[in-house]
């Protein structure tokens, strides 16, 4: 049975799993780990230090750092002090950091590196409520005012001085008290602080416990930023189960970490899984000269896994074929993801059904889910008993779904936020009679599984007045191994077009194998054979649409869409207005050439 608040749940976990490893990280080539007992002492030290600093219950404490054990210690410690934690993406520009610190009224901010310290010091004069910055990783403050190192902040064994007050504060926290503000990165407008309570978070842990079996001591690899709602809630869930969380501060180290840690569980966005798919398929195609062997292996793997899930015996002939499929294709998927898994979870954006099918065939199924920050990350998810490749599963425990006549998805339940911080009107606009209006469109299958089709705000209205959902077209194109991103254009235009960011590495390797000559990326994208590939792809993507809303033409982008340029949100959401502004001249030339 779950305790009523996050601090109470953490206290129970510390008592139950004291000698087990709670956290681990590779730093400077050395393995560092923390037991649950030590973790319990650390979070109380942080709580006591915040109390000594003068923070009172309800005060906000921000964290601007890459994934590391101290991130979670600072987070949970702030909760024990009755404070509210505010997560900030390290990729946020200075203006974004300034907005979140001011909007939340944060009094203390924890930072991870000299870079993040520099950002905070840059915006400090514009943040009148900010009083203290604490540097987590040993970086010196270099004479910066109101700055302490992690060690100095915790110095003097403050828990022994303020421990009784920590206990009092923990006992006073109510389940419906605000636990955290997670700012919606959004694709339009300024980020809004989503208010999540202790009860919201614990409802998600209960939902995961309801559908999956995890065991104390099993390893998780923390790869999504802890500022991400999904990874944040997941970190609390790991404590509840007594698992070991291994942190990956740099996303570029994920591949190496998967092999070194070989985790039992992992949460990620679709990008990681798509890249594994692309790598394995490319390797098999190169070895066999085509896709036939790859498709055959997936088909055999799916047949075997479905038989096993239903308790059927595997015929000798199928068993032999599966052994060959495993050796030729499927073992590469398992190795790329770091061996067998108890739970691979996916959220954040759409997962290619072909990728789901491949991982299932390899015996490492991905459990795709759907949710938003406003629903404490998870609204639906697939489960071992009800796994689908083309849906995001059923509503989780304590959550209800409703589909309006317009197709909009509504959510009600214990996972729905308390509202937007300081924004009464914005809250009232999306929370009506207890139902949260997601702004996403979709429908339920006969079995009760949810299919998300598109986002209401992203719909395009052409010059003819026709409303078009761009996501299905974009997903159709992005299913191709040579497409990284696709953006449909057409608002107030006579017809639709698209910008395509090619998957440059597999495209270049394909061109080299075919003997197509090119000396640069721009020459590759201008090659007639390459243009032919994308011309056919674009035509096929809209072949089932009425003629006036088919994709008329396209342009290949020779640079990536990135969060740095403002094209993507931190959760990989497409910022359409920003993309249209950045590539305005490309779009205008594209339409002008067709119109001529």
């Amino acid at each position: 049975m779950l305790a009523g608040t996050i601090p109470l749940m953490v206290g129970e976990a510390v008592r139950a799993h004291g000698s087990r490893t709670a956290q681990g990280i590779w730093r400077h080539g050395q393995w560092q780990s923390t037991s649950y007992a030590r973790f319990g002492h650390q979070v109380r030290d942080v709580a006591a230090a915040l109390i000594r600093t003068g923070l009172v219950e309800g005060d906000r404490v921000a964290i601007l750092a890459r994934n590391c054990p101290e991130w979670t210690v600072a987070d949970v410690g702030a909760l024990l002090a009755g404070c509210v934690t505010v997560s900030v993406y390290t990729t946020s520009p200075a203006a974004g950091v300034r907005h979140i610190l001011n909007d939340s009224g944060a009094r203390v901010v924890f930072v991870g590196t000299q870079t993040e310290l520099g950002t905070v010091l840059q915006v400090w004069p514009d943040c009148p409520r900010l009083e203290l910055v604490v540097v987590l990783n040993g970086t010196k403050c270099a004479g910066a005012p109101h700055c302490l190192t992690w060690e100095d902040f915790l110095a003097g064994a403050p828990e022994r001085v303020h421990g009784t007050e920590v206990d009092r504060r923990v006992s006073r926290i109510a389940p419906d008290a605000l636990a955290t503000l997670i700012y919606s990165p959004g694709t339009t407008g300024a980020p809004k602080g989503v208010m999540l309570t202790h009860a919201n978070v614990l409802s998600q842990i209960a939902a995961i416990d309801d559908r999956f079996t995890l065991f104390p001591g099993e390893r998780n690899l923390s790869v999504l930023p802890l500022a991400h709602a999904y990874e944040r809630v997941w970190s609390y869930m790991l404590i509840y189960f007594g698992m070991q969380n291994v942190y990956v501060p740099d996303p570029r180290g994920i591949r190496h970490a998967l092999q070194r840690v070989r985790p039992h569980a992992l949460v990620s966005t679709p990008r990681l899984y798509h890249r594994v798919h692309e790598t394995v398929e490319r390797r098999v195609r190169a070895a066999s000269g085509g896709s036939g062997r790859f498709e055959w292996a997936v088909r055999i793997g799916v047949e075997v896994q479905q038989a096993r899930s239903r308790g059927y015996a595997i015929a000798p002939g199928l068993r032999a074929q599966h052994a060959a499929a495993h050796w030729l294709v499927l073992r590469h998927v398992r190795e790329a993801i770091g061996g067998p898994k108890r739970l691979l979870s996916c959220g954040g954006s759409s997962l290619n059904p072909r990728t789901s099918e491949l991982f299932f065939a390899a015996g490492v199924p991905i459990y795709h889910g759907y949710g938003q920050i406003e629903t404490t990350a998870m609204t639906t998810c697939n489960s071992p008993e009800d796994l689908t490749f083309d849906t995001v599963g059923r509503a989780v425990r304590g959550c209800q779904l409703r589909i309006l006549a317009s197709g909009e998805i509504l959510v009600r339940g214990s996972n729905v936020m308390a509202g937007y911080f300081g924004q009464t009107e914005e809250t009232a606009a999306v929370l009506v009679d207890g139902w949260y209006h997601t702004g996403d469109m979709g429908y339920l299958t006969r079995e009760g599984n949810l299919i998300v089709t598109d986002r209401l705000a992203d719909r395009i209205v052409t010059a003819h007045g026709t409303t078009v959902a761009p996501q299905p077209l974009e997903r159709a194109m992005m299913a191709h191994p040579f497409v990284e991103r696709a953006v449909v254009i057409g608002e107030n235009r006579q017809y639709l077009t698209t910008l395509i960011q090619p998957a440059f590495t597999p495209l270049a390797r394909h061109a080299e194998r075919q003997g197509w000559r090119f000396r640069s990326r721009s020459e590759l994208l201008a090659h007639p054979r390459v243009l032919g590939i994308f011309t056919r792809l674009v035509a096929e993507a809209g072949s089932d649409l009425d003629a006036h809303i088919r994709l008329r033409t396209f342009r290949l982008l020779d640079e990536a869409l990135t969060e740095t340029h403002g094209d993507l949100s931190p959760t990989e959401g497409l910022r359409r207005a920003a993309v249209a502004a950045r590539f305005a001249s490309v779009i205008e030339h594209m339409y002008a050439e067709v119109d001529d």
Side-chain angles (χ1 to χ4, degrees):
M1 183 68 180
L2 276 168
T5 65
I6 298 170
L8 290 178
M9 180 273 290
V10 170
E12 289 184 1
V14 167
R15 288 188 291 272
H17 308 292
S19 62
R20 289 194 173 95
T21 300
Q23 300 175 309
I25 189 171
W26 286 92
R27 278 181 173 148
H28 313 299
Q30 293 185 330
W31 172 251
Q32 299 176 8
S33 63
T34 304
S35 70
Y36 269 91
R38 176 62 181 149
F39 174 75
H41 288 302
Q42 289 176 335
V43 297
R44 288 181 63 87
D45 281 346
V46 169
L50 290 171
I51 292 170
R52 183 185 58 183
T53 301
L55 269 67
V56 299
E57 290 150 297
D59 276 343
R60 273 76 67 198
V61 175
I63 306 176
L64 172 63
R66 289 185 174 187
N67 291 14
C68 62
E70 293 82 6
W71 205 112
T72 302
V73 172
D75 174 27
V76 175
L79 295 178
L80 263 66
C83 297
V84 177
T85 50
V86 182
S87 55
V88 189
Y89 284 97
T90 58
T91 51
S92 299
V97 174
R98 181 189 301 112
H99 168 76
I100 292 174
L101 293 178
N102 279 330
D103 188 75
S104 67
R107 293 181 60 187
V108 173
V109 57
F110 292 93
V111 300
T113 66
Q114 192 70 41
T115 300
E116 288 122 29
L117 173 61
T119 300
V120 170
L121 294 180
Q122 178 184 341
V123 304
W124 186 289
D126 303 320
C127 301
R129 294 210 60 185
L130 191 61
E131 301 171 13
L132 175 68
V133 56
V134 179
V135 186
L136 297 178
N137 68 354
T139 300
K140 299 301 179 184
C141 294
H146 313 294
C147 177
L148 292 174
T149 65
W150 179 246
E151 292 76 15
D152 289 342
F153 175 67
L154 298 176
E159 200 278 326
R160 290 199 293 272
V161 179
H162 298 282
T164 302
E165 176 60 16
V166 173
D167 292 333
R168 278 198 291 263
R169 291 197 180 190
V170 168
S171 69
R172 290 197 295 258
I173 300 171
D176 61 354
L178 182 60
T180 184
L181 292 177
I182 300 183
Y183 277 76
S184 170
T187 53
T188 59
K192 298 185 288 289
V194 177
M195 297 191 293
L196 300 181
T197 67
H198 290 264
N200 288 148
V201 171
L202 295 182
S203 76
Q204 293 280 278
I205 296 174
I208 295 169
D209 194 18
D210 183 54
R211 295 203 174 176
F212 301 98
T213 301
L214 295 163
F215 294 100
E218 292 186 324
R219 296 179 301 279
N220 175 80
L221 196 64
S222 179
V223 296
L224 288 182
L226 278 161
H228 194 295
Y230 201 8
E231 186 74 28
R232 179 80 166 286
V233 172
W234 193 259
S235 70
Y236 301 134
M237 183 275 297
L238 298 170
I239 296 171
Y240 169 73
F241 280 104
M243 294 175 66
Q244 178 184 160
N245 200 11
V246 181
Y247 297 80
V248 182
D250 189 343
R252 292 172 297 182
I254 292 175
R255 182 179 301 179
H256 180 64
L258 283 167
Q259 303 307 316
R260 173 180 254 174
V261 177
R262 302 186 77 78
H264 301 90
L266 175 71
V267 169
S268 183
T269 57
R271 178 174 296 182
L272 172 64
Y273 304 123
H274 288 162
R275 286 182 174 172
V276 171
H277 181 166
E278 292 164 6
T279 299
V280 173
E281 185 168 6
R282 183 173 63 246
R283 182 183 301 174
V284 174
R285 285 174 182 269
S288 63
S291 61
R293 179 178 292 181
F294 180 84
E295 302 296 344
W296 169 84
V298 173
R299 179 174 56 80
I300 293 298
V302 168
E303 187 175 349
V304 168
Q305 296 301 333
Q306 287 178 337
R308 286 175 175 169
S309 66
R310 295 165 184 165
Y312 298 160
I314 311 298
L318 180 58
R319 189 180 300 114
Q321 291 183 78
H322 184 249
H326 173 79
W327 177 255
L328 294 171
V329 175
L330 304 179
R331 67 185 176 95
H332 298 303
V333 178
R334 294 167 70 96
E335 284 307 306
I337 208 70
K341 294 285 174 288
R342 187 172 297 280
L343 177 55
L344 278 181
S345 183
C346 179
S349 57
S350 178
L351 180 67
N352 187 338
R354 291 183 64 244
T355 300
S356 293
E357 194 174 36
L358 171 63
F359 275 72
F360 176 74
V364 282
I366 301 171
Y367 298 102
H368 194 202
Y370 160 75
Q372 298 176 353
I373 300 174
E374 289 86 346
T375 60
T376 323
M378 189 170 64
T379 298
T380 71
C381 73
N382 280 279
S383 66
E385 293 75 29
D386 185 20
L387 177 62
T388 62
F389 301 144
D390 56 355
T391 83
V392 289
R394 299 184 184 185
V396 299
R397 175 180 173 180
C399 175
Q400 296 175 273
L401 298 179
R402 175 189 290 175
I403 309 296
L404 295 182
S406 64
E408 185 180 7
I409 303 166
L410 272 57
V411 182
R412 182 170 68 180
S414 54
N415 60 329
V416 173
M417 67 172 180
Y420 295 121
F421 187 68
Q423 300 194 37
T424 305
E425 292 183 6
E426 288 80 357
T427 299
V430 298
L431 277 178
V432 182
D433 296 328
W435 289 94
Y436 169 61
H437 290 243
T438 67
D440 287 328
M441 314 297 283
Y443 61 92
L444 294 171
T445 66
R446 189 184 317 172
E447 295 76 22
N449 291 306
L450 178 66
I451 293 179
V452 181
T453 56
D454 62 291
R455 183 147 184 84
L456 184 60
D458 288 342
R459 289 190 166 184
I460 293 170
V461 180
T462 69
H464 300 287
T466 303
T467 301
V468 182
Q471 284 94 341
L473 284 168
E474 291 164 352
R475 284 195 292 267
M477 288 184 281
M478 289 190 290
H480 195 283
F482 294 161
V483 178
E484 183 73 24
R485 289 273 181 180
V487 185
V488 172
I489 307 294
E491 184 70 23
N492 294 322
R493 302 279 188 172
Q494 295 293 326
Y495 49 86
L496 301 179
T497 61
T498 183
L499 302 177
I500 297 175
Q501 175 195 328
F504 293 109
T505 300
L507 178 62
R509 287 174 176 167
H510 175 76
E512 290 169 354
R513 288 196 301 270
Q514 299 299 318
W516 303 342
R517 294 179 178 274
F518 64 94
R519 292 173 297 180
S520 64
R521 178 179 288 183
S522 59
E523 284 191 9
L524 172 65
L525 299 186
H527 195 286
R529 298 289 182 88
V530 170
L531 293 175
I533 290 173
F534 288 100
T535 298
R536 290 189 295 274
L537 170 64
V538 169
E540 292 169 0
S543 59
D544 59 344
L545 298 176
D546 293 339
H548 68 287
I549 55 173
R550 289 179 190 165
L551 294 168
R552 184 74 63 88
T553 190
F554 66 95
R555 284 295 181 273
L556 300 180
L557 302 177
D558 62 1
E559 52 186 316
L561 302 180
T562 67
E563 184 185 343
T564 303
H565 286 107
D567 309 315
L568 305 176
S569 74
T571 53
E572 301 181 17
L574 185 65
R575 289 185 163 133
R576 295 180 183 276
V579 172
R582 182 182 173 200
F583 297 100
S585 61
V586 174
I587 293 170
E588 292 304 325
H589 287 143
M590 176 169 57
Y591 277 94
E593 288 181 12
V594 176
D595 291 339
D596 290 344

